[in-house]
Amino acid sequence: MTELTLERVKEDLYSRKDPTLTPVDIEAKAPLVYDILELKRKLGVVVLGHNYMEPLVFNLSSRDEQGDSLGLSRFAATTGAEYIIFNGVRFMAETAKVLSPDKRVLISDKEAGCSLADEFDPAEIDRLRELHPGAPVMIYINSYAEAKARCDITCTSANSVDIARRMPGDEIIFVPDILFAANLEQELGGGKKVIYPGQDSGTRGAVCEVHEKFTLDDLLDVRKSFEMPRGHPNKLIYAHWECRPDVLREADFYGSTSQISKDIGQRVAAGTLERAFVASECELTSNLAQEFPGVQFNTACSVRCQWMAKMALEGILDILRRIDSGGDLSKYEIELEPEIMDRARLPIEKMLAMSS
Ligand code: 13P
Ligand code: SF4
């Protein structure tokens, strides 16, 4: 393994040709990146990075530490490391803690929320159960442990259709994302009834404040502006599952962040992808553009998740320095009631067992 030096870190950053990283940024940020990588190695800390991290933060994680919600949950369940730093949002770090209760799970900003998790009242689950007795409850992983603890199974955007089909009965309650629920219903094509908040039941769900921004008209405008006609074999529009149903119908491919990345990788390997637009958080596109420099990516740079954007080099370095010096980690540490963790673990483990 080549020795890590500040010069190597700078060389790596310059070689990325990232238009958002000027030499001024590189000179300012490289020492932070170097210190983080050095402490990460010395202390054997796992640094998980969600696909929405800005490239500088994303690249603090090795390839197997990067991923979508499902991949990161799997990693968190199996790692032997004592400390896990989660570069993502709070509900993701909570999931890691629930799966690894003996590990110390840390996030550089505990206020990193998510509109889906924050705007959903777990009591709605009990109301829906009362209205539809016997129907199993599937909860999107974008939720807090307290809500998961009341449900039968979790899912992510990578496995929801498969899991819904395999759950018993001919109906399923899905919370909290109402756009996701409508997409699931569309995908199941009447094979199973999806019951979700709203729908005249007096219950309230939530939407992703980022993905709801994309409209069908936006996608049609992208097709026109960037000459990406529907069905073109080399120019594709991708959309995340949390977008509106008509956006998914218009997209050439939809899925989780890692499924989008995988499809792009396969087309690049086959030499067929020229241009792509990804209707999702814009740093996903930044990371894809670095990985696949031969593809022309068009980005909606204004579509940034304010919560994911809270992960910053300074906070991550502070965590590592505190671990190194035996300092106080309470500002960063995820702590949950053991009873909530025990109850929330069941639906997550059930999902992992059904999607391996
Ligand atoms: P993925 O599971 O596809 O990574 O999505 C997580 C998320 O928060 C999307 O907004
Ligand atoms: Fe939550 Fe949306 Fe941000 Fe994902 S992009 S963390 S769903 S607010």
Side-chain angles (χ1 to χ4, degrees):
M1 210 176 80
T2 47
E3 197 203 337
L4 184 73
T5 61
L6 177 57
E7 280 321 302
R8 287 223 168 85
V9 169
K10 282 189 193 173
E11 266 169 42
D12 173 52
L13 295 178
Y14 278 110
S15 73
R16 289 191 206 158
K17 300 201 176 8
D18 178 346
T20 64
L21 265 188
T22 65
V24 180
D25 298 310
I26 292 177
E27 294 302 321
K29 303 282 185 185
L32 291 173
V33 172
Y34 170 71
D35 285 351
I36 291 172
L37 293 176
E38 195 48 24
L39 280 171
K40 177 188 173 193
R41 187 196 51 76
K42 175 181 160 193
L43 303 167
V45 173
V46 159
V47 179
L48 297 179
H50 185 263
N51 292 327
Y52 288 162
M53 290 298 101
E54 61 171 289
L56 269 181
V57 174
F58 194 55
N59 290 311
L60 299 173
S61 300
S62 61
R63 193 76 194 192
D64 60 342
E65 293 171 325
Q66 298 171 338
D68 64 2
S69 309
L70 181 61
L72 296 178
S73 306
R74 279 201 184 113
F75 193 102
T78 54
T79 179
E82 186 187 350
Y83 294 95
I84 300 174
I85 296 180
F86 211 116
N87 293 329
V89 288
R90 190 188 159 97
F91 79 80
M92 295 179 173
E94 274 197 3
T95 304
K97 179 69 187 173
V98 167
L99 289 169
S100 298
D102 301 333
K103 310 238 152 61
R104 314 248 341 238
V105 179
L106 305 144
I107 183 163
S108 59
D109 190 334
K110 286 206 268 190
E111 300 296 309
C114 164
S115 61
L116 287 169
D118 292 338
E119 289 167 26
F120 182 63
D121 175 1
E124 300 292 27
I125 297 165
D126 305 334
R127 281 183 211 121
L128 285 161
R129 274 201 199 274
E130 264 169 42
L131 290 167
H132 303 275
V137 182
M138 179 160 92
I139 186 163
Y140 190 28
I141 199 136
N142 292 37
S143 51
Y144 293 120
E146 197 201 331
K148 288 187 178 86
R150 301 178 189 220
C151 299
D152 299 298
I153 192 156
T154 63
C155 73
T156 76
S157 34
N159 58 21
S160 64
V161 178
D162 186 41
I163 290 182
R165 283 202 181 112
R166 291 164 63 192
M167 290 303 281
D170 52 14
E171 51 182 34
I172 190 161
I173 297 171
F174 179 89
V175 292
D177 186 340
I178 54 179
L179 294 178
F180 193 121
N183 289 330
L184 182 61
E185 196 169 39
Q186 184 169 279
E187 191 75 21
L188 291 171
K192 185 169 293 228
K193 186 170 176 211
V194 182
I195 298 153
Y196 51 98
Q199 295 181 310
D200 301 329
S201 66
T203 53
R204 218 174 127 251
V207 295
C208 164
E209 65 187 30
V210 175
H211 290 90
E212 73 156 344
K213 289 194 180 123
F214 293 100
T215 65
L216 175 60
D217 281 347
D218 292 335
L219 263 63
L220 296 174
D221 284 346
V222 166
R223 289 213 183 279
K224 226 196 265 166
S225 311
F226 300 112
E227 295 173 12
M228 306 173 80
R230 200 180 172 129
H232 194 288
N234 315 118
K235 299 176 181 180
L236 276 83
I237 291 189
Y238 290 82
H240 191 272
W241 253 101
E242 289 164 9
C243 290
R244 299 162 191 275
D246 56 356
V247 167
L248 260 60
R249 280 196 296 273
E250 181 58 32
D252 299 297
F253 181 98
Y254 52 84
S256 78
T257 54
S258 288
Q259 286 171 335
I260 290 172
S261 172
K262 188 171 167 207
D263 187 81
I264 290 175
Q266 285 168 345
R267 287 174 200 272
V268 168
T272 60
L273 191 64
E274 272 172 42
R275 185 184 284 274
F277 176 86
V278 185
S280 190
E281 213 272 356
C282 78
E283 297 294 10
L284 173 62
T285 301
S286 311
N287 291 317
L288 291 169
Q290 274 199 10
E291 193 175 349
F292 305 111
V295 179
Q296 166 94 55
F297 284 97
N298 299 104
T299 315
C301 292
S302 55
V303 186
R304 181 85 176 98
C305 173
Q306 57 167 322
W307 311 112
M308 292 278 181
K310 285 181 177 289
M311 299 300 108
L313 297 176
E314 291 76 4
I316 299 162
L317 182 56
D318 189 41
I319 296 177
L320 286 161
R321 284 191 174 140
R322 288 180 192 221
I323 296 174
D324 195 32
S325 64
D328 178 14
L329 290 168
S330 54
K331 183 177 167 196
Y332 302 115
E333 185 157 12
I334 298 290
E335 281 168 300
L336 295 166
E337 292 290 320
E339 190 252 334
I340 293 282
M341 284 202 280
D342 287 347
R343 286 172 48 216
R345 194 171 307 117
L346 298 174
I348 306 172
E349 285 186 341
K350 197 163 166 186
M351 169 191 79
L352 292 175
M354 279 175 83
S355 53
S356 52

